[in-house]
PDB file of all heavy atoms in Angstrom:
ATOM      1  N   TYR A  11       5.321  59.053-126.395  1.00 95.00           N
ATOM      2  CA  TYR A  11       4.075  58.516-125.841  1.00 95.00           C
ATOM      3  C   TYR A  11       3.886  59.067-124.431  1.00 95.00           C
ATOM      4  O   TYR A  11       4.866  59.337-123.707  1.00 95.00           O
ATOM      5  CB  TYR A  11       4.211  56.983-125.738  1.00 95.00           C
ATOM      6  CG  TYR A  11       4.330  56.288-127.104  1.00 95.00           C
ATOM      7  CD1 TYR A  11       5.519  55.756-127.481  1.00 95.00           C
ATOM      8  CD2 TYR A  11       3.201  56.126-127.860  1.00 95.00           C
ATOM      9  CE1 TYR A  11       5.663  55.077-128.687  1.00 95.00           C
ATOM     10  CE2 TYR A  11       3.293  55.474-129.093  1.00 95.00           C
ATOM     11  CZ  TYR A  11       4.542  54.923-129.517  1.00 95.00           C
ATOM     12  OH  TYR A  11       4.632  54.291-130.679  1.00 95.00           O
ATOM     13  N   GLY A  12       2.648  59.211-123.984  1.00 91.00           N
ATOM     14  CA  GLY A  12       2.320  59.698-122.634  1.00 91.00           C
ATOM     15  C   GLY A  12       2.659  61.185-122.438  1.00 91.00           C
ATOM     16  O   GLY A  12       3.081  61.845-123.375  1.00 91.00           O
ATOM     17  N   VAL A  18       7.418  59.177-122.679  1.00 92.00           N
ATOM     18  CA  VAL A  18       8.510  58.386-123.289  1.00 92.00           C
ATOM     19  C   VAL A  18       8.760  58.936-124.617  1.00 92.00           C
ATOM     20  O   VAL A  18       7.921  58.888-125.514  1.00 92.00           O
ATOM     21  CB  VAL A  18       8.117  56.886-123.350  1.00 92.00           C
ATOM     22  CG1 VAL A  18       9.209  56.077-124.113  1.00 92.00           C
ATOM     23  CG2 VAL A  18       7.860  56.281-122.016  1.00 92.00           C
ATOM     24  N   ALA A  20      10.032  58.342-127.932  1.00 94.00           N
ATOM     25  CA  ALA A  20      10.409  57.150-128.705  1.00 94.00           C
ATOM     26  C   ALA A  20      11.324  57.504-129.890  1.00 94.00           C
ATOM     27  O   ALA A  20      12.323  56.777-130.124  1.00 94.00           O
ATOM     28  CB  ALA A  20       9.160  56.449-129.228  1.00 94.00           C
ATOM     29  N   PRO A  39      18.801  48.648-131.064  1.00 85.00           N
ATOM     30  CA  PRO A  39      18.471  47.849-129.866  1.00 85.00           C
ATOM     31  C   PRO A  39      16.969  47.810-129.620  1.00 85.00           C
ATOM     32  O   PRO A  39      16.221  48.671-130.050  1.00 85.00           O
ATOM     33  CB  PRO A  39      19.236  48.560-128.779  1.00 85.00           C
ATOM     34  CG  PRO A  39      19.484  49.925-129.256  1.00 85.00           C
ATOM     35  CD  PRO A  39      19.567  49.865-130.747  1.00 85.00           C
ATOM     36  N   SER A  40      16.595  46.791-128.865  1.00 86.00           N
ATOM     37  CA  SER A  40      15.204  46.611-128.440  1.00 86.00           C
ATOM     38  C   SER A  40      14.735  47.887-127.708  1.00 86.00           C
ATOM     39  O   SER A  40      15.430  48.455-126.911  1.00 86.00           O
ATOM     40  CB  SER A  40      15.185  45.451-127.526  1.00 86.00           C
ATOM     41  OG  SER A  40      13.837  45.071-127.240  1.00 86.00           O
ATOM     42  N   GLY A  41      13.529  48.423-128.079  1.00 88.00           N
ATOM     43  CA  GLY A  41      12.985  49.567-127.423  1.00 88.00           C
ATOM     44  C   GLY A  41      13.383  50.894-127.953  1.00 88.00           C
ATOM     45  O   GLY A  41      13.046  51.956-127.490  1.00 88.00           O
ATOM     46  N   CYS A  42      14.130  50.890-129.090  1.00 90.00           N
ATOM     47  CA  CYS A  42      14.722  52.205-129.634  1.00 90.00           C
ATOM     48  C   CYS A  42      13.700  52.878-130.526  1.00 90.00           C
ATOM     49  O   CYS A  42      13.884  54.058-130.913  1.00 90.00           O
ATOM     50  CB  CYS A  42      16.032  51.986-130.346  1.00 90.00           C
ATOM     51  SG  CYS A  42      15.898  51.267-132.009  1.00 90.00           S
ATOM     52  N   GLY A  43      12.565  52.258-130.830  1.00 94.00           N
ATOM     53  CA  GLY A  43      11.539  52.931-131.609  1.00 94.00           C
ATOM     54  C   GLY A  43      11.350  52.415-133.008  1.00 94.00           C
ATOM     55  O   GLY A  43      10.714  53.054-133.823  1.00 94.00           O
ATOM     56  N   LYS A  44      11.879  51.186-133.327  1.00 94.00           N
ATOM     57  CA  LYS A  44      11.770  50.720-134.680  1.00 94.00           C
ATOM     58  C   LYS A  44      10.320  50.417-135.087  1.00 94.00           C
ATOM     59  O   LYS A  44       9.890  50.825-136.138  1.00 94.00           O
ATOM     60  CB  LYS A  44      12.624  49.408-134.863  1.00 94.00           C
ATOM     61  CG  LYS A  44      14.085  49.621-134.440  1.00 94.00           C
ATOM     62  CD  LYS A  44      14.896  48.302-134.592  1.00 94.00           C
ATOM     63  CE  LYS A  44      14.466  47.156-133.754  1.00 94.00           C
ATOM     64  NZ  LYS A  44      14.665  47.467-132.301  1.00 94.00           N
ATOM     65  N   THR A  45       9.597  49.739-134.203  1.00 94.00           N
ATOM     66  CA  THR A  45       8.191  49.468-134.483  1.00 94.00           C
ATOM     67  C   THR A  45       7.362  50.765-134.535  1.00 94.00           C
ATOM     68  O   THR A  45       6.499  50.934-135.456  1.00 94.00           O
ATOM     69  CB  THR A  45       7.622  48.497-133.453  1.00 94.00           C
ATOM     70  OG1 THR A  45       8.325  47.239-133.560  1.00 94.00           O
ATOM     71  CG2 THR A  45       6.143  48.209-133.669  1.00 94.00           C
ATOM     72  N   THR A  46       7.667  51.660-133.658  1.00 95.00           N
ATOM     73  CA  THR A  46       6.996  53.018-133.664  1.00 95.00           C
ATOM     74  C   THR A  46       7.178  53.655-135.044  1.00 95.00           C
ATOM     75  O   THR A  46       6.223  54.168-135.584  1.00 95.00           O
ATOM     76  CB  THR A  46       7.660  53.906-132.554  1.00 95.00           C
ATOM     77  OG1 THR A  46       7.425  53.307-131.284  1.00 95.00           O
ATOM     78  CG2 THR A  46       7.049  55.323-132.598  1.00 95.00           C
ATOM     79  N   LEU A  47       8.412  53.578-135.562  1.00 97.00           N
ATOM     80  CA  LEU A  47       8.680  54.243-136.854  1.00 97.00           C
ATOM     81  C   LEU A  47       7.892  53.562-137.980  1.00 97.00           C
ATOM     82  O   LEU A  47       7.238  54.240-138.826  1.00 97.00           O
ATOM     83  CB  LEU A  47      10.202  54.206-137.176  1.00 97.00           C
ATOM     84  CG  LEU A  47      10.613  54.856-138.477  1.00 97.00           C
ATOM     85  CD1 LEU A  47      10.181  56.344-138.488  1.00 97.00           C
ATOM     86  CD2 LEU A  47      12.131  54.778-138.633  1.00 97.00           C
ATOM     87  N   GLN A  83       5.367  42.476-136.506  1.00 81.00           N
ATOM     88  CA  GLN A  83       6.317  41.557-135.791  1.00 81.00           C
ATOM     89  C   GLN A  83       5.682  40.205-135.486  1.00 81.00           C
ATOM     90  O   GLN A  83       6.347  39.190-135.597  1.00 81.00           O
ATOM     91  CB  GLN A  83       6.760  42.261-134.480  1.00 81.00           C
ATOM     92  CG  GLN A  83       8.153  41.916-134.033  1.00 81.00           C
ATOM     93  CD  GLN A  83       8.766  42.971-133.083  1.00 81.00           C
ATOM     94  OE1 GLN A  83       8.228  44.005-132.844  1.00 81.00           O
ATOM     95  NE2 GLN A  83       9.875  42.607-132.497  1.00 81.00           N
ATOM     96  N   ASP A 159       8.691  44.023-140.021  1.00 93.00           N
ATOM     97  CA  ASP A 159       9.184  44.194-138.687  1.00 93.00           C
ATOM     98  C   ASP A 159       9.761  42.899-138.147  1.00 93.00           C
ATOM     99  O   ASP A 159       9.001  42.030-137.701  1.00 93.00           O
ATOM    100  CB  ASP A 159       8.043  44.704-137.771  1.00 93.00           C
ATOM    101  CG  ASP A 159       8.542  45.307-136.514  1.00 93.00           C
ATOM    102  OD1 ASP A 159       9.793  45.242-136.234  1.00 93.00           O
ATOM    103  OD2 ASP A 159       7.692  45.922-135.756  1.00 93.00           O
ATOM    104  N   GLU A 160      11.080  42.713-138.195  1.00 90.00           N
ATOM    105  CA  GLU A 160      11.772  41.516-137.718  1.00 90.00           C
ATOM    106  C   GLU A 160      11.054  40.259-138.104  1.00 90.00           C
ATOM    107  O   GLU A 160      10.671  39.438-137.285  1.00 90.00           O
ATOM    108  CB  GLU A 160      11.920  41.590-136.175  1.00 90.00           C
ATOM    109  CG  GLU A 160      12.557  42.916-135.768  1.00 90.00           C
ATOM    110  CD  GLU A 160      13.040  42.831-134.293  1.00 90.00           C
ATOM    111  OE1 GLU A 160      13.636  41.822-133.894  1.00 90.00           O
ATOM    112  OE2 GLU A 160      12.908  43.830-133.557  1.00 90.00           O
ATOM    113  N   ARG A 211      16.781  54.540-126.996  1.00 81.00           N
ATOM    114  CA  ARG A 211      15.839  55.642-126.775  1.00 81.00           C
ATOM    115  C   ARG A 211      16.492  56.909-126.246  1.00 81.00           C
ATOM    116  O   ARG A 211      17.323  56.884-125.329  1.00 81.00           O
ATOM    117  CB  ARG A 211      14.878  55.117-125.718  1.00 81.00           C
ATOM    118  CG  ARG A 211      13.472  55.480-125.947  1.00 81.00           C
ATOM    119  CD  ARG A 211      12.488  54.849-124.982  1.00 81.00           C
ATOM    120  NE  ARG A 211      12.823  55.189-123.620  1.00 81.00           N
ATOM    121  CZ  ARG A 211      12.739  54.321-122.631  1.00 81.00           C
ATOM    122  NH1 ARG A 211      12.294  53.119-122.820  1.00 81.00           N
ATOM    123  NH2 ARG A 211      13.044  54.673-121.431  1.00 81.00           N
TER     124      ARG A 211
HETATM  125  P1  ADP B   1      11.387  48.644-130.840  1.00 78.98           P
HETATM  126  O1  ADP B   1      10.462  48.204-131.880  1.00 78.98           O
HETATM  127  O2  ADP B   1      12.621  49.259-131.381  1.00 78.98           O
HETATM  128  O3  ADP B   1      11.737  47.571-129.891  1.00 78.98           O
HETATM  129  P2  ADP B   1       9.141  50.321-129.996  1.00 78.98           P
HETATM  130  O4  ADP B   1       8.874  51.244-131.134  1.00 78.98           O
HETATM  131  O5  ADP B   1       8.219  49.134-129.774  1.00 78.98           O
HETATM  132  O6  ADP B   1      10.684  49.829-129.967  1.00 78.98           O
HETATM  133  O7  ADP B   1       9.094  51.181-128.628  1.00 78.98           O
HETATM  134  C1  ADP B   1       9.882  52.354-128.427  1.00 78.98           C
HETATM  135  C2  ADP B   1       9.591  52.896-127.025  1.00 78.98           C
HETATM  136  O8  ADP B   1       8.295  53.480-127.016  1.00 78.98           O
HETATM  137  C3  ADP B   1       9.643  51.898-125.919  1.00 78.98           C
HETATM  138  O9  ADP B   1      10.199  52.457-124.795  1.00 78.98           O
HETATM  139  C4  ADP B   1       8.192  51.511-125.698  1.00 78.98           C
HETATM  140  O10 ADP B   1       8.006  51.060-124.393  1.00 78.98           O
HETATM  141  C5  ADP B   1       7.501  52.836-126.017  1.00 78.98           C
HETATM  142  N1  ADP B   1       6.165  52.593-126.568  1.00 78.98           N
HETATM  143  C6  ADP B   1       5.881  51.986-127.742  1.00 78.98           C
HETATM  144  N2  ADP B   1       4.558  51.955-127.990  1.00 78.98           N
HETATM  145  C7  ADP B   1       3.985  52.593-126.962  1.00 78.98           C
HETATM  146  C8  ADP B   1       2.639  52.957-126.645  1.00 78.98           C
HETATM  147  N3  ADP B   1       1.598  52.629-127.442  1.00 78.98           N
HETATM  148  N4  ADP B   1       2.450  53.656-125.493  1.00 78.98           N
HETATM  149  C9  ADP B   1       3.442  53.997-124.666  1.00 78.98           C
HETATM  150  N5  ADP B   1       4.723  53.677-124.941  1.00 78.98           N
HETATM  151  C10 ADP B   1       5.006  53.036-126.029  1.00 78.98           C
END
Side-chain angles (χ1 to χ4, degrees):
Y11 296 106
V18 174
S40 189
C42 77
K44 303 181 297 294
T45 298
T46 299
L47 182 58
Q83 210 159 351
D159 199 353
E160 307 196 41
R211 219 175 59 215

